[in-house]
């Protein structure tokens, strides 16, 4: 019995070794797929994740989604949906594709951008993602993304087992922002001196003012953005300037953060080693640009700027005037300002906010690459008011359902 058992053991060992050798040979010849864990050990292949979207009027909610998606892999590839696809599925976009490409490409968690991505992931496009772009997982938020026929836009990715979900960022959406601007237009048309404070001041302070109270029949939902220190830390670089760094300073409202902002920040960053951005308070903006500004409150604007890859640090609530004390405190080497801005009248006034850096010889005017301001974005909404109103009415129904059925979803 012992001899037979011993022989059986030897025979089994030899057969096992033979099978292992044949398996390895088959892997080399490409006949059998190697185990995934074996591939990762051999190639140390980075995990590539894909996320798509319209990214129209890009805001900090989009940026936070991209941050979460990037955390699920080593490289993030982002698909930006074409203008035609957005129009067919949601209504006309406010910002055209080339501007949306600039915005997405400037987010510091994005590694690659694919233009003209389809709104719905077809089997053909999904296979292209897996084979040509080497995508491992497709990412989307926990809010449902339905096609006009009611089907799930990510059904194929889920079926393939290559889908991962992230948590939606509460308190903001493109629909909400368009709604804020539409309310501004209506408030102005009714006259600016209501008994209520201006709509934008209500937005900025997070008041739960019902839309019916201001005479509008629309169901546009007022944002309930709840800023936390954790979110600011997540968006921050967490690094200060070096001892010999050439620090460049630029300030502004950065309301409805757009491609024009991104491009001037890019130019400013190229002039030094560290870019410090001052973001003005809601009160300062209201005083200099009108009671209906800003559209986005201070913390919302700060997060959008912090997400930009060209920005190293921000001053949340920067002073209107750049003083010598401020220049010394932050060791600022150069103060810059673009040629395209909402209000260039400061140069003609006695209280020029850049008088000190000008006198010190450290002020530089930069030629703005794009002729876009926050007013440009608002005018696009106003000029096509009816189309955007219809678009919002369609989206508001799904937004309402989301909040009515909302439950806790883990994530950050």
């Amino acid at each position: 019995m012992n001899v037979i058992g011993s022989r059986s053991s030897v025979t089994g060992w030899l057969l096992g070794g033979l099978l292992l050798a044949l398996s390895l040979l088959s892997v080399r010849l490409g006949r059998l797929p190697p185990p995934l864990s074996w591939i990762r050990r051999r190639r140390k292949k980075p995990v590539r994740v894909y996320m798509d979207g319209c990214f129209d009027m890009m805001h900090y909610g989009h940026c936070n989604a991209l941050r979460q998606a990037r955390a699920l892999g080593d490289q993030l590839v982002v698909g930006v949906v074409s203008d035609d696809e957005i129009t067919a599925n949601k209504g006309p976009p406010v910002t055209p594709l080339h501007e949306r490409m600039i915005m997405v490409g400037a987010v510091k968690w994005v590694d690659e951008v694919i233009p003209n991505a389809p709104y719905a992931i077809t089997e053909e496009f999904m296979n292209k993602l897996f084979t040509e772009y080497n995508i491992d997982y497709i990412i989307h938020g926990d809010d449902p993304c339905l096609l006009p026929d009611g089907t799930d836009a990510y059904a194929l990715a889920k079926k393939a087992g290559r889908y991962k979900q992230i948590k939606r960022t509460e308190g903001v959406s493109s629909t909400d922002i368009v709604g804020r601007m539409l309310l501004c237009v209506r408030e102005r048309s009714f006259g600016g001196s209501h008994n209520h404070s201006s709509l934008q001041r209500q937005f900025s302070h997070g008041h739960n003012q019902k839309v019916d109270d201001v005479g509008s029949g629309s169901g546009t939902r007022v944002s309930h953005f709840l800023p936390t220190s954790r979110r600011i830390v997540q968006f921050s670089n967490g690094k200060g300037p070096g001892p010999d760094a050439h620090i460049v300073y630029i300030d502004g409202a950065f309301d409805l953060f757009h491609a024009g902002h991104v491009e001037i920040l890019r130019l400013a960053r190229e002039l030094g080693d560290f870019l410090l951005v001052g973001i003005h308070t809601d009160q300062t903006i209201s005083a200099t640009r009108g009671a209906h500004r800003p559209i986005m409150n201070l913390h919302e604007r700060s997060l959008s700027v912090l997400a930009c890859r060209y920005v190293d640090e921000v001053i949340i609530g920067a002073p209107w005037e750049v003083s010598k004390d401020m220049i010394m405190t932050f060791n600022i080497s150069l103060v810059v300002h673009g040629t395209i801005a909402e209000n260039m009248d400061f140069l003609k006034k006695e209280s020029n906010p850049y008088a000190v850096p000008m006198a010190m010889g450290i002020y530089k005017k930069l030629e703005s690459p794009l002729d876009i301001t926050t007013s440009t974005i608002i005018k696009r909404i106003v000029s096509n008011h009816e189309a955007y109103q219809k678009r919002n009415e369609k989206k508001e129904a799904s937004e309402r359902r989301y909040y009515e059925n909302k439950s806790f979803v883990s994530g950050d």
Side-chain angles (χ1 to χ4, degrees):
M1 290 292 291
N2 291 338
V3 175
I4 293 173
S6 177
R7 286 178 178 174
S8 298
S9 298
V10 172
T11 302
W13 182 82
L14 289 172
L15 285 172
L18 181 61
L19 287 172
L20 178 60
L22 288 172
S23 297
L24 291 173
L25 181 61
S26 298
V27 166
R28 285 182 173 274
L29 294 174
R31 292 177 183 172
L32 291 175
L36 187 58
S37 58
W38 186 78
I39 292 177
R40 283 178 174 166
R41 284 199 303 270
R42 286 293 298 268
R43 295 196 308 173
K44 293 183 180 179
K45 175 181 174 288
V47 176
R48 287 169 61 83
V49 295
Y50 172 82
M51 188 173 196
D52 59 14
C54 301
F55 303 105
D56 194 18
M57 296 183 61
M58 194 161 182
H59 49 72
Y60 67 91
H62 291 133
C63 298
N64 193 47
L66 296 173
R67 182 191 65 79
Q68 291 182 79
R70 180 64 169 74
L72 294 176
D74 303 307
Q75 296 171 356
L76 174 60
V77 181
V78 181
V80 182
V81 177
S82 69
D83 294 342
D84 290 341
E85 287 269 287
I86 296 175
T87 302
N89 288 278
K90 299 176 71 173
V94 178
T95 47
L97 179 63
H98 71 276
E99 290 180 22
R100 292 184 286 119
M101 289 289 292
I102 290 172
M103 295 299 296
V104 174
V107 175
K108 60 187 175 186
W109 299 290
V110 175
D111 297 291
E112 296 176 34
V113 184
I114 302 174
N116 295 306
Y119 187 81
I121 295 182
T122 62
E123 189 167 2
E124 179 185 3
F125 184 71
M126 185 173 70
N127 290 333
K128 184 177 181 180
L129 289 175
F130 295 157
T131 56
E132 292 186 26
Y133 292 97
N134 299 314
I135 298 300
D136 295 293
Y137 297 103
I138 294 170
I139 317 293
H140 188 63
D142 63 275
D143 52 319
C145 183
L146 302 178
L147 299 174
D149 62 2
T151 57
D152 186 352
Y154 294 90
L156 288 173
K158 292 176 181 178
K159 186 178 179 181
R162 306 282 284 273
Y163 176 85
K164 286 191 175 185
Q165 184 174 282
I166 58 170
K167 184 176 181 178
R168 170 182 165 138
T169 302
E170 302 291 350
V172 69
S173 67
S174 297
T175 303
D176 170 61
I177 295 170
V178 171
R180 299 187 201 188
M181 284 185 278
L182 291 174
L183 286 174
C184 278
V185 173
R186 284 193 287 272
E187 172 78 352
R188 281 178 177 172
S189 66
F190 295 145
S193 56
H194 270 246
N195 293 329
H196 313 288
S197 60
S198 83
L199 289 169
Q200 296 323 301
R201 296 298 282 272
Q202 293 168 30
F203 289 137
S204 297
H205 298 305
H207 293 174
N208 189 17
Q209 178 76 23
K210 292 183 179 179
V211 176
D212 290 342
D213 290 345
V214 292
S216 169
S218 169
T220 301
R221 179 180 174 277
V222 174
S223 171
H224 295 287
F225 172 60
L226 302 174
T228 64
S229 59
R230 175 175 168 77
R231 180 71 76 229
I232 292 173
V233 169
Q234 289 169 336
F235 274 51
S236 299
N237 289 342
K239 296 179 181 179
D244 300 317
H246 188 79
I247 299 172
V248 179
Y249 178 75
I250 185 171
D251 61 5
F254 299 99
D255 196 16
L256 296 178
F257 196 64
H258 52 70
H261 291 138
V262 167
E263 287 295 271
I264 198 67
L265 291 174
R266 178 181 60 81
L267 290 185
R269 182 62 177 80
E270 290 174 355
L271 295 175
D273 309 307
F274 191 92
L275 180 60
L276 176 64
V277 181
I279 303 174
H280 294 149
T281 65
D282 299 340
Q283 291 76 15
T284 296
I285 297 167
S286 293
T288 57
R289 302 185 187 181
H292 289 79
R293 300 286 188 89
I295 303 295
M296 310 290 284
N297 70 44
L298 176 60
H299 287 93
E300 292 176 312
R301 292 181 284 116
S302 298
L303 289 176
S304 292
V305 174
L306 274 172
C308 181
R309 68 172 71 250
Y310 308 119
V311 176
D312 295 291
E313 180 64 287
V314 302
I315 299 175
I316 301 174
W320 175 250
E321 293 186 2
V322 182
S323 65
K324 185 173 182 180
D325 178 69
M326 178 179 165
I327 291 170
M328 294 298 108
T329 298
F330 291 100
N331 195 26
I332 295 169
S333 306
L334 183 67
V335 176
V336 300
H337 194 280
T339 54
I340 301 296
E342 293 282 329
N343 182 10
M344 297 296 287
D345 292 338
F346 64 83
L347 293 172
K348 304 173 185 177
K349 297 179 180 178
E350 292 181 6
S351 58
N352 179 354
Y354 304 107
V356 171
M358 284 179 173
M360 295 174 66
I362 60 168
Y363 176 84
K364 183 179 180 65
K365 184 167 67 174
L366 297 181
E367 191 70 32
S368 299
L370 296 177
D371 187 5
I372 303 173
T373 65
T374 300
S375 293
T376 305
I377 307 297
I378 295 174
K379 286 175 183 176
R380 292 175 186 176
I381 298 288
V382 174
S383 65
N384 204 4
H385 177 274
E386 291 185 7
Y388 290 118
Q389 184 66 55
K390 290 178 181 177
R391 166 181 160 171
N392 261 32
E393 287 171 358
K394 287 168 60 179
K395 282 291 293 177
E396 281 161 3
S398 61
E399 291 267 312
R400 200 176 299 113
R401 284 193 298 272
Y402 171 81
Y403 282 102
E404 287 173 355
N405 301 318
K406 176 182 168 182
S407 59
F408 176 76
V409 177
S410 62
D412 61 357

